[in-house]
Amino acid sequence: MGKAGKFLKFLAGTAVIGLLGAHFITGYTVEDVLNMKKEERDPTYTPQKDIEEKIHKAVKNREEEVTIVNKEWYQESQVWEQVRKIAHNAVLEEPELFWAEIRTGYNFLGGTKEEQDEKYKDEITFSLSYQDESEVQRKQEEIDKAAQEFLSDLPANLSDWEKAKWVHDKLITWITYEENEEEDNGNLYGALVLRKCVCNGYCMAYEYLMNELEIPCDTIVGYTSELAKEINDSSIYSMMSSHAWNVVTIEENGQKKSFYVDVTWDDRDKKDAQGKDYIVNNWFGVMPEDMEKAERLSDMEGYEGDDAGEFQEDCNYYVRNGYVLQGYQTEAAKNAFQKQIQEGNNVLTLRWTNQEDYEAGFASLIDNGEIHTILQELGVVRETVEYEEKNILDFRNLYMMNIYL
C-alpha cells in the first residue's frame, strides 16, 4: 500500500486527521489531501529526501534502474546536477552499501551544461549494479575484521575531536590512493581491506570508522572547480572534477560543532627517510569558507550531514593548536615548529590569515633560508628541506605552508 493509501486509513468521514512522521493535518477533505503536494502534507519533506528514498528502495530491491521524474516540487530547489549528486550520495553516505554502484551517462554525453539540462529536463535514469550476494557477506566479515584491527590501538581517554584526528592520521598510513578498474576501488572494502582506493573509498572508510566510535559523520559529494575549469571552461560538471569529503559533528561543552575532513587531500603518499608516512593536516577541521576559497565546493546546497551542528573555527587543526600566525615573527614560527617536533610530527606546518603575511613568512623561511637556522636551534639537522610550492591552489588561497622533515 502506498503512502496515500496508508494515509486514508486514518480518515473519519470527510474530515482528515492524519499522522505523517510527527506532524498532524486536520480539517481537510479527502479531495484536499489527494490534491496536495507532498511537501504540503509533510513539513519534513524535501526533494532530497524524495530522491534518496527512491534510490534506497531501488538498491534494497536490487533493481537495475531507477528513474527520477522532474516533478513540480523539484524545480524550485534542485537542478539536475544536484539531483545526480544527491542520487550518488544516497549510496555513498551508506558505507555498508559498498556492494552497490550507481551510474548515469549524464556527464559523458558532451555539450554544455545548458544542452544537457535541456535533454534531461523531464527525467533522468540511473543504472544500478550490484556485487554477487554470496560475496557480500564474506566481504562484510572482512570489513568488520579490518575495522577491529584498525581501532585496536586507539588510545584511551581521547576527546571526540582527538578521535576524529586519530582516525584521519591512521587512514593516511592505512590507505594508498590508487585509481584502477577493480570493482572495489571506490568503496569501503577497497579502503579498509584492500587498502587502496580513490576519494569515495577514503570517505566511506572514515565515515564507517567514526560511526563505530559513535561520532556522527557523513559523506559530502562535490567538485573541484579549478580542475574543471582546466578541463572545460563551459562546464564544471566533469566527472574528472568530482570529489568527496566528510563532515563530522562532535559535542564539546554541551555544544554541537561541525567541521569538514578530507583525508584524500591530506594523503600525500610520501614517506620520510625512516619510511614513515608524512601526516598532513591541511584538511582537518576545515570550515565552509575554507572549502570555498580553495574551490572545493559541494553541489548539495544546505546539506551538511544529518547531525550537523554549527561550524566552529576552534575545530580547525591550525586554530586549535595555535599554528595560525598574525604577521611573521621568527620566534612564533620556532615555537610552533618546536611543539610539532615534540609531538613526533614529520611535517612542520603554519598558516597565516592573509596573503601579505603569508608571502612575508614564505620569503623569510624558504627564500632567505631561515628554516635551516630554526631547525638547527631545535636540534634537527637537514642539509635540504622539502616544501610545497606556494602557488598550489589550496596553499595560495588558504595561506598554508608544509615543510617535510
Side-chain angles (χ1 to χ4, degrees), residues 147-206:
Q148 184 178 12
E149 178 187 348
F150 186 100
L151 296 172
S152 62
D153 59 344
L154 176 71
N157 303 318
L158 295 182
S159 68
D160 283 353
W161 186 92
E162 291 169 331
K163 290 177 183 177
K165 172 73 165 56
W166 184 89
V167 172
H168 162 278
D169 291 358
K170 188 165 181 177
L171 271 181
I172 290 174
T173 70
W174 189 271
I175 300 172
T176 298
Y177 185 91
E178 182 177 307
E179 297 180 11
N180 58 54
E181 298 300 321
E182 296 177 8
E183 65 178 356
D184 295 305
N185 185 235
N187 66 29
L188 181 63
Y189 185 82
L192 283 185
V193 179
L194 301 181
R195 299 174 67 165
K196 54 184 179 180
C197 62
V198 293
C199 62
N200 293 351
Y202 280 83
C203 289
M204 287 186 174
Y206 191 78

Side-chain angles (χ1 to χ4, degrees), residues 219-257:
T219 294
I220 302 294
V221 176
Y223 59 90
T224 55
S225 62
E226 183 71 12
L227 175 59
K229 290 175 185 175
E230 293 174 6
I231 296 168
N232 180 0
D233 285 338
S234 68
S235 173
I236 63 172
Y237 298 101
S238 169
M239 282 295 289
M240 294 179 69
S241 66
S242 292
H243 189 47
W245 56 92
N246 296 103
V247 58
V248 178
T249 299
I250 61 175
E251 286 201 28
E252 289 186 330
N253 302 318
Q255 185 180 15
K256 293 174 71 173
K257 301 179 179 182

Side-chain angles (χ1 to χ4, degrees), residues 268-279 344-347 382 386 403-405:
R268 297 298 197 266
D269 278 337
K270 295 167 59 175
K271 298 181 185 294
D272 62 20
Q274 289 72 44
K276 179 182 176 183
D277 287 272
Y278 283 117
I279 305 298
N345 294 1
N346 57 6
V347 179
R382 293 287 189 278
E386 182 181 354
I403 296 171
Y404 296 88
L405 298 181

Side-chain angles (χ1 to χ4, degrees), residues 88 101-106 108 125-129 181 239:
H88 280 256
E101 185 173 3
I102 183 169
R103 291 182 179 275
T104 174
Y106 183 78
F108 301 99
T125 298
F126 298 92
S127 299
L128 295 163
S129 59
E181 298 300 321
M239 282 295 289

Side-chain angles (χ1 to χ4, degrees), residues 279-329:
I279 305 298
V280 175
N281 293 282
N282 301 148
W283 294 97
F284 184 84
V286 181
M287 298 293 103
E289 56 268 27
D290 295 332
M291 300 298 279
E292 184 173 354
K293 287 178 184 176
E295 301 190 25
R296 282 119 171 83
L297 306 176
S298 172
D299 272 335
M300 302 180 63
E301 296 179 3
Y303 180 76
E304 306 297 355
D306 296 333
D307 299 284
E310 183 178 350
F311 281 85
Q312 296 283 344
E313 194 174 35
D314 67 349
C315 291
N316 178 264
Y317 172 78
Y318 291 91
V319 174
R320 182 159 295 212
N321 286 287
Y323 300 151
V324 180
L325 300 189
Q326 305 289 335
Y328 177 74
Q329 303 85 30

Side-chain angles (χ1 to χ4, degrees), residues 339-384:
K339 179 182 176 182
Q340 293 169 26
I341 291 171
Q342 289 173 344
E343 292 177 350
N345 294 1
N346 57 6
V347 179
L348 305 183
T349 188
L350 292 171
R351 184 175 178 180
W352 287 266
T353 58
N354 60 71
Q355 183 73 26
E356 182 179 358
D357 290 345
Y358 171 67
E359 295 286 354
F362 193 96
S364 296
L365 285 166
I366 304 302
D367 297 339
N368 298 334
E370 192 172 293
I371 182 61
H372 295 287
T373 301
I374 292 176
L375 290 177
Q376 286 177 357
E377 292 175 355
L378 295 176
V380 179
V381 180
R382 293 287 189 278
E383 292 185 5
T384 61

